[in-house]
Amino acid sequence: MPQDFSRRSFLQLSSAASAALAMRIVTEPMLAFGQRPKASRDAIWINANENPLGPCASARDAVAAITPQGGRYRFNLTEEFVKQFAQSVGVTGENVRIFAGSTEPLHYTVMAFTSPRASYVTADPGYEAGMHSAKSSGARIVKVPLTKSYAHDVKAMLAAAPDAGVFYVCTPNNPTGTLTSRSDIEYLLEKKPKGSIVLVDEAYLHFSDAPSTIDLVKAGKDIIVLRTFSKLYGMAGLRCGFAIARPDLLQKIENYGGGNPMPVTAVAAAAASLKDANLVDERKRINTANREETFQWLDHNGYSYIPSVSNCFMLDTKRPAKEMIAAMAQQNVIIGRVWPAMPTYSRITVGTREEMEKFQAALQNVMNGKVTVGTLCPDPRTIDGFVLPS
Ligand SMILES: Cc1ncc(COP(=O)(O)O)c(C=O)c1O
């Protein structure tokens, strides 16, 4: 009967829709802008760990030059770049997979290696995207507090999850900007349960002096390393990232997604960025200078923060941090979100020197009581109509 048919297809459709919703990939911009207060475009945006410098000059030129070829897939361009990238990190092409950013391989890795029987183990506070993916896979989510020095507590992570599928280690950590030592990562690899993997997110590594763990891929360990061009290279809006691992681990990730042709603009920009021999040092120097100047100012004024080696840090606002976010927004300075484990802290992204000066002036106004609490956007969990999973 037509009526039955339409009811059945509605049910099928709605269950397909809820399955699709459950698989939704959650990204840093969704999380960052999901809590954004009302603000104008000309505000100071230091809430999403973006790089205010954007792509380097040669990357911009490369984008302009490749754009006329944007009607073609240009797979060979991607293949050449993958080889270039692999070489730059000391592995071969079979150890790397390219994606439009590192969000995708993060999600696919969690989907591939966690399940209701294989838990997802992460730091608290830590980058939340993988936890949302673990909800999709039905895995138990194990949040383990950082140590006193804000490193991942690898011993506690191991003890908390003998059933682990994925140990997620973000170093420097988002949001604290603090490192987990290589020896701790090696310890985790040595002691972890059989069949599990260590997922090392090196999104912010370039800002620090820490060594990469990519050589552990070469050594054949159960490790997947994530890299992105969104941070130091300033390509968050252009989208390029990598998973680096043993071929058999990459194969498992690929069962969940990948292989989508890359935007030629992203490939051209990333290839040009890698060729710029001074870029990493130069940008690291700029970020370090702006971050350390901000820390000196905070010290001088007696304000508390967690020292960081990254492009973000946690500021202790000494009040519910949401109040500080609103009061700063009143002054057109948009600072980052709050983690439940640290309710008085807000994550501050290191911006340009001018941006950090405006941040300082606005913060001083709130701390002096010249500006008081403002209003947050009505539903801080929505972003452009998309309701964030709770
Ligand atoms: C720790 C971490 N990993 C991964 C990502 C994903 O970035 P993208 O998809 O832009 O490469 C982000 C974004 O902010 C991040 O903070």
Side-chain angles (χ1 to χ4, degrees):
M1 296 213 351
Q3 211 182 347
D4 283 342
F5 174 77
S6 64
R7 187 163 177 271
R8 195 169 58 238
S9 31
F10 170 76
L11 288 174
Q12 278 166 352
L13 266 179
S14 56
S15 61
S18 52
L21 200 65
M23 295 289 284
R24 186 122 199 190
I25 295 179
V26 172
T27 65
E28 171 64 38
M30 283 176 180
L31 296 159
F33 292 92
Q35 280 191 21
R36 78 193 182 288
K38 289 205 180 304
S40 66
R41 269 283 123 206
D42 64 358
I44 304 297
W45 294 90
I46 47 174
N47 66 328
N49 289 358
E50 295 161 317
N51 189 334
L53 305 177
C56 66
S58 60
R60 291 173 197 211
D61 292 345
V63 168
I66 199 74
T67 299
Q69 295 181 49
R72 309 252 173 222
Y73 291 114
R74 294 295 318 269
F75 291 115
N76 58 334
L77 200 75
T78 303
E79 276 165 26
E80 276 163 33
F81 170 58
V82 166
K83 276 192 212 141
Q84 181 196 354
F85 176 80
Q87 205 176 13
S88 77
V89 295
V91 294
T92 61
E94 64 167 10
N95 292 121
V96 304
R97 289 293 181 281
I98 192 167
F99 299 86
S102 59
T103 294
E104 271 188 69
L106 169 52
H107 179 74
Y108 302 144
T109 302
V110 178
M111 295 306 290
F113 292 95
T114 69
S115 72
R117 289 165 308 285
S119 60
Y120 177 74
V121 193
T122 186
D124 192 20
Y127 181 49
E128 313 93 316
M131 284 190 266
H132 290 288
S133 305
K135 278 185 199 164
S136 300
S137 75
R140 185 166 75 96
I141 297 166
V142 184
K143 295 207 251 177
V144 178
L146 294 170
T147 64
K148 280 202 181 87
S149 59
Y150 303 101
H152 287 59
D153 191 337
V154 293
K155 287 195 174 141
M157 288 170 92
L158 286 163
D163 66 336
V166 169
F167 292 95
Y168 175 67
V169 177
C170 184
T171 182
N173 188 37
N174 179 4
T176 50
T178 47
L179 293 171
T180 296
S181 71
R182 184 191 163 91
S183 57
D184 277 350
I185 293 170
E186 282 173 336
Y187 182 86
L188 199 50
L189 281 164
E190 201 185 306
K191 305 281 182 196
K192 70 178 184 51
K194 208 164 173 279
S196 64
I197 59 120
V198 178
L199 177 60
V200 179
D201 192 333
E202 296 189 345
Y204 300 94
L205 191 84
H206 290 116
F207 292 114
S208 77
D209 295 326
S212 172
T213 51
I214 292 178
D215 61 307
L216 296 170
V217 169
K218 242 170 106 179
K221 303 288 180 195
D222 295 332
I223 185 172
I224 297 174
V225 182
L226 299 177
R227 281 285 184 89
T228 180
F229 280 73
S230 291
K231 304 301 172 184
L232 180 125
Y233 291 102
M235 284 182 42
L238 280 167
R239 315 296 300 135
C240 183
F242 282 94
I244 304 124
R246 277 190 341 241
D248 61 303
L249 300 180
L250 293 176
Q251 178 66 56
K252 289 192 174 148
I253 301 178
E254 279 182 328
N255 291 338
Y256 285 83
N260 206 10
M262 285 290 292
V264 291
T265 44
V267 173
S273 303
L274 270 196
K275 282 189 193 131
D276 185 333
N278 299 323
L279 189 62
V280 174
D281 285 349
E282 187 186 306
R283 292 206 157 179
K284 183 175 157 191
R285 188 179 46 72
I286 294 170
N287 178 71
T288 305
N290 293 343
R291 186 188 65 223
E292 294 305 313
E293 275 175 24
T294 306
F295 287 171
Q296 275 169 21
W297 181 86
L298 291 168
D299 287 338
H300 180 75
N301 286 280
Y303 302 143
S304 308
Y305 59 92
I306 299 173
S308 146
V309 295
S310 186
N311 74 336
C312 64
F313 65 92
M314 291 295 260
L315 173 75
D316 187 358
T317 69
K318 304 280 183 197
R319 70 200 74 204
K322 285 193 171 163
E323 290 178 21
M324 176 62 80
I325 294 171
M328 295 291 277
Q330 275 188 356
Q331 304 172 79
N332 257 358
V333 177
I334 312 303
I335 58 173
R337 64 182 176 278
V338 188
W339 271 255
M342 292 186 170
T344 66
Y345 287 76
S346 156
R347 188 191 65 190
I348 312 295
T349 301
V350 178
T352 62
R353 172 179 267 180
E354 296 72 37
E355 286 173 335
M356 297 321 281
E357 280 167 3
K358 290 192 174 144
F359 157 77
Q360 290 166 17
L363 182 66
Q364 195 71 288
N365 284 339
V366 185
M367 290 302 201
N368 290 343
K370 276 195 199 140
V371 173
T372 48
V373 183
T375 36
L376 286 166
C377 63
D379 181 357
R381 288 200 310 110
T382 62
I383 167 164
D384 297 337
F386 167 56
V387 180
L388 283 171
S390 49

